[in-house]
Every structure is written in C-alpha cells, then in structure tokens.
C-alpha cells in the first residue's frame, strides 16, 4: 500500500511540475503577446503622427506653390509691361 501511495505521490509530483512548466511557458507567451500588441500600438501611433506631419508639410507646400504662382504671374505681367514700354520707346524714335 505504501509503495502505491509513494508511486501516486511521485506521479502527482511529476504532474505538478509539468503543470508549473506549462504555466510558466503560457505566462511567457502571454508577455510576448502583450509586448507585440504594445509595439503594434506604438507603431500605429508613430505612423499617425508621421501622417499628420506629412499632411502639414503638404499644406505648407501648397501655400508656397500658390505664392510662387502669384509671383510668377506678377513677373509675367511686369515683363509684358516692360516689353510694351520698350516697343513704344523704339517706335517713337
């Protein structure tokens, strides 16, 4: 009887060790999964911030383009006025 109880305790002890190892492995995998999830969240936030920066840069470049377009039109008008003045001056001589 004592031998059977000792064998039973040995089997139960092995089972407890196995369950403890599995619990530790499960906890380790759980921590890895939490870490991966947090990494994905931080990457998503970084991309969102980068997208906002790029949108702001696009808006800034559009304003700059409009300013250059207006400046170009003004310079074209000035050039046309000057060419007209030169033509009138040449015809008067």
């Amino acid at each position: 009887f004592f031998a059977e109880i000792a064998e039973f305790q040995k089997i139960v002890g092995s089972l407890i060790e196995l369950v403890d190892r599995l619990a530790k492995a499960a906890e380790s995998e759980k921590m890895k999964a939490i870490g991966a999830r947090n990494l994905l969240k931080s990457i998503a936030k970084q991309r969102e911030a980068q997208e906002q920066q790029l949108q702001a840069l696009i808006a800034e470049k559009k304003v700059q383009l409009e300013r250059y377009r207006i400046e170009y039109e003004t310079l074209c008008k000035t050039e046309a006025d000057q060419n007209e003045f030169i033509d009138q001056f040449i015809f008067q001589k």
Side-chain angles (χ1 to χ4, degrees):
F1 179 74
F2 289 113
E4 290 177 3
I5 291 179
E7 183 67 25
F8 178 73
Q9 286 179 342
K10 183 179 173 186
I11 292 171
V12 169
S14 297
L15 180 62
I16 290 173
E17 287 178 21
L18 177 63
V19 169
D20 283 344
R21 283 197 310 257
L22 289 174
K24 287 179 183 176
E27 186 66 25
S28 174
E29 291 300 317
K30 178 182 170 184
M31 288 303 193
K32 287 180 186 177
I34 289 171
R37 183 179 63 197
N38 289 341
L39 179 63
L40 286 175
K41 284 182 182 178
S42 70
I43 289 172
K45 287 182 181 179
Q46 287 175 349
R47 284 188 177 166
E48 187 176 308
Q50 185 180 22
E51 182 181 355
Q52 288 176 353
Q53 288 176 343
L54 290 174
Q55 290 293 343
L57 182 61
I58 288 170
E60 181 182 325
K61 293 298 182 183
K62 283 182 179 180
V63 168
Q64 186 178 23
L65 176 64
E66 182 63 18
R67 190 174 68 243
Y68 287 156
R69 186 188 63 76
I70 291 170
E71 183 178 351
Y72 173 75
E73 288 175 359
T74 303
L75 289 174
C76 285
K77 185 177 184 307
T78 302
E79 180 185 23
D81 291 345
Q82 289 175 352
N83 284 336
E84 183 181 335
F85 175 77
I86 290 170
D87 289 343
Q88 288 177 359
F89 183 74
I90 288 174
F91 288 133
Q92 286 179 357
K93 283 192 168 188

